[in-house]
Amino acid sequence: LRNRMFLADCACRGGYPDRAHATLESLLADATAALGPEHNTTLNIKNSLANTLGALGRLAEALAHLRDLLRIRTRLDPNN
């Protein structure tokens, strides 16, 4: 999972956010199924997906993911 996330992040930073998006959507589904929706790795993937959506100009979707992340992380660690 981490290697796929790293490759997607590199693709986004390298100017290929469309490739990164497809990889991260698939990766998020896999991580959620394997680790659960609140596992740290799953949340990191969700954060990368939000960043990629932002790079694609899909700001409303990016913001929705970021709000969800904030809600989960605040619940898991109120001091975070």
Side-chain angles (χ1 to χ4, degrees):
L1 293 174
R2 287 184 183 157
N3 287 339
R4 288 169 57 198
M5 186 173 75
F6 177 73
L7 288 172
D9 284 342
C10 287
C12 188
R13 290 182 187 149
Y16 301 100
D18 51 335
R19 291 182 192 173
H21 175 254
T23 299
L24 289 166
E25 286 284 358
S26 171
L27 188 56
L28 182 60
D30 292 347
T32 301
L35 304 172
E38 296 182 352
H39 189 277
N40 194 50
T41 298
T42 305
L43 297 176
N44 288 338
I45 293 166
K46 192 174 190 75
N47 188 70
S48 291
L49 178 58
N51 291 335
T52 299
L53 287 166
L56 288 168
R58 294 166 61 175
L59 302 180
E61 292 172 81
L63 188 56
H65 281 292
L66 292 172
R67 285 184 176 140
D68 190 41
L69 280 167
L70 179 61
R71 181 187 55 78
I72 293 168
R73 290 197 187 272
T74 300
R75 187 172 42 74
L76 293 176
D77 180 6
N79 296 319
N80 184 356

